[in-house]
Amino acid sequence: MSFPTPSPTGFASPTQPAPHQFATAALNTRIAFLVELARRLHQYGTSAPRLEMAIAGSALRLGLAAEVWSSPTAIIISFSDLTQGEDGVAQVTQVMRLPPGDVNLARLCQADLIADQVIAGQMELRDGFRLLRDLGKPDTRRAQAGVIASYGLAAASVVSLLLHSSWADLLTTAVIGLMIGTITVLSATRPRLAVASEAICALVGTIFAILVSALVVPLAIKSVILAGLIMLMPGMALTTSVREISSQHLVAGVARMGGALATLLKLTFGTVAGAQLCAAFGIYPRDFALPPLPSWTEVPALMVAAIAFAMAFRAARRDWPVVMAAVVVGYVSTRWGGLISGALPAAPFGVFLGGFLLGALANVYARFAHRPGAVVREPGIILLVPGSVGFRSVSYLLERDTVLGFDTGVLLVTLLISLVAGLLFGDLLVAPRRSL
């Protein structure tokens, strides 16, 4: 959904109908379409500022005024007909209670295309509503298998890219990733399992890593557990929450941050419980480092990570090259920024530079490809978000190492601020023309 500078409505096509051309459509039909669009955008991981902007702009093009309030678990929208004039009171208020969304780039792009076609007059409102409703169908078994595989591939690639561990660590981490991916997919259709899925994943992953280390081959146990849980780390949620707070969406930002902290606590509890359970049975890991992976594995690992994140974010096949390029750009720019930082702190400057480039490139892509900038932005920053730093901070605090815990917490805040600042400055360099 695009929005050109000279138009207050939010859409760029010169052939779009004026709002009065939708006035003949029933009010309930227009509202039903917008409510379903909001539901899909929320379900596919759209942040509160972007969702509110997209729905408000869409409503104007349909001859309605919409006051939108979005949070990670609810949406409230009040609608009034523009024919009533500026003093018209809201005629309908819709309240939706929703679970937190998860990024699904393919379906996000489909919802965006459906909205553009309806507003451009190329599709009937009822047809658009039906297509949006069809997007809510459960994932196929093939898609679920892809998600499970992406967890294993992403975990293995992190061992090489960020932790520089051994071959034994890499293989063990890949297996843990597959186990966690399976539990995550199963929890999607089992509400009781979903509530505790993070703690169960951490518990299972920790026990498996300790058993392998004790009975098969020594492992760098903390690195293996951290990499195995990498796809569950709430780094993306923390980053989004800080962006929402910085844009004055305070309720949504604080609520999302609370959810991210709860996830960190559940992961930490599962890890500690797994270690204590093994200790109760007299099983202790042989924790020492084996020879690290050779340097040539970094490039293949980066390619594997790019493929894994394209699968994890459920990108359409046509978007895979763009998604993979975004992952590579994010990682390389962050590494390069750390090398040229000079007297500046290497990690924060590298993360800032990566966020800055990805924010600008996402807007360039959205402007010229006429597709959501999230296709570039979300997978691009996945290796930059500091979820693992937050996990380490909470773990140190639970181990009563308060000095190291608070020191790591300060690093978490610094990296979050650096990344969000980079994304905001990227928006200043290339102004966004699309709400997504």
Side-chain angles (χ1 to χ4, degrees):
M1 280 163 279
S2 58
F3 51 102
T5 303
S7 170
T9 59
F11 297 90
S13 173
T15 62
Q16 288 168 351
H20 65 79
Q21 292 182 256
F22 285 101
T24 57
L27 179 64
N28 286 345
T29 302
R30 288 177 281 167
I31 290 176
F33 173 80
L34 290 170
V35 168
E36 192 64 26
L37 177 61
R39 188 189 306 275
R40 296 304 161 213
L41 295 183
H42 183 280
Q43 182 180 355
Y44 305 139
T46 306
S47 64
R50 295 182 181 276
L51 187 149
E52 293 177 10
M53 185 186 303
I55 299 303
S58 300
L60 283 173
R61 297 305 300 175
L62 297 180
L64 298 171
E67 294 290 339
V68 189
W69 182 89
S70 174
S71 79
T73 57
I75 301 176
I76 303 174
I77 314 176
S78 292
F79 297 97
S80 59
D81 200 320
L82 288 177
T83 57
Q84 293 183 337
E86 295 182 359
D87 296 330
V89 296
Q91 296 164 280
V92 176
T93 297
Q94 185 76 26
V95 180
M96 289 176 281
R97 178 69 169 87
L98 302 166
D102 193 16
V103 177
N104 187 320
L105 293 178
R107 293 189 179 181
L108 178 65
C109 291
Q110 287 179 281
D112 177 72
L113 178 61
I114 292 168
D116 280 347
Q117 289 178 341
V118 168
I119 292 168
Q122 301 170 2
M123 183 184 297
E124 294 294 329
L125 278 167
R126 293 185 183 277
D127 293 334
F129 174 82
R130 177 178 54 80
L131 292 174
L132 287 174
R133 179 62 62 87
D134 290 342
L135 290 180
K137 293 180 178 179
D139 288 335
T140 63
R141 291 191 179 274
R142 180 178 179 181
Q144 292 175 343
V147 172
I148 293 172
S150 72
Y151 275 62
L153 294 174
S157 63
V158 165
V159 170
S160 177
L161 290 175
L162 304 180
L163 302 178
H164 309 290
S165 295
S166 65
W167 286 109
D169 295 339
L170 186 148
L171 294 174
T172 305
T173 302
V175 175
I176 293 174
L178 293 173
M179 295 165 61
I180 289 174
T182 302
I183 296 173
T184 302
V185 168
L186 292 175
S187 67
T189 55
R190 294 167 174 81
R192 292 184 179 179
L193 177 61
V195 173
S197 62
E198 294 91 348
I200 294 172
C201 288
L203 176 69
V204 171
T206 301
I207 291 175
F208 181 80
I210 292 175
L211 289 175
V212 171
S213 181
L215 306 176
V216 183
V217 60
L219 301 174
I221 197 71
K222 290 185 178 180
S223 296
V224 168
I225 294 172
L226 179 62
L229 298 175
I230 197 68
M231 293 298 289
L232 300 181
M233 298 295 173
M236 190 71 76
L238 287 169
T239 303
T240 302
S241 69
V242 174
R243 291 199 72 185
E244 289 173 337
I245 292 172
S246 67
S247 61
Q248 298 303 305
H249 289 74
L250 304 180
V251 175
V254 172
R256 199 180 302 275
M257 183 170 290
L261 293 177
T263 300
L264 284 175
L265 289 174
K266 286 190 282 187
L267 289 173
T268 305
F269 171 80
T271 302
V272 173
Q276 293 298 322
L277 186 62
C278 289
F281 286 93
I283 304 173
Y284 297 95
R286 293 177 290 168
D287 188 1
F288 60 89
L290 296 174
L293 292 166
S295 57
W296 61 263
T297 60
E298 183 173 5
V299 173
L302 182 57
M303 294 299 102
V304 170
I307 294 172
F309 292 127
M311 297 166 63
F313 286 120
R314 300 173 177 86
R317 288 298 177 91
R318 60 171 289 190
D319 293 326
W320 273 39
V322 176
V323 171
M324 293 173 64
V327 174
V328 173
V329 169
Y331 177 77
V332 172
S333 60
T334 302
R335 288 285 302 272
W336 182 67
L339 293 175
I340 67 169
S341 59
L344 298 173
F349 181 77
V351 168
F352 170 82
L353 181 61
F356 175 74
L357 289 177
L358 288 166
L361 289 174
N363 293 335
V364 170
Y365 173 78
R367 180 177 299 192
F368 291 102
H370 304 292
R371 291 172 69 78
V375 174
V376 172
R377 184 175 54 251
E378 303 299 327
I381 66 174
I382 187 63
L383 288 176
L384 282 63
V385 294
S388 60
V389 179
F391 175 73
R392 286 177 171 173
S393 177
V394 176
S395 299
Y396 289 140
L397 290 175
L398 287 180
E399 294 172 0
R400 299 184 181 181
D401 192 340
T402 54
V403 174
L404 193 54
F406 280 111
D407 183 65
T408 310
V410 171
L411 176 61
L412 169 66
V413 174
T414 303
L415 294 177
L416 278 174
I417 293 173
S418 300
L419 178 54
V420 172
L423 292 169
L424 294 176
F425 276 91
D427 286 345
L428 289 177
L429 179 64
V430 181
R433 291 289 183 92
R434 298 182 67 84
S435 54
L436 300 180

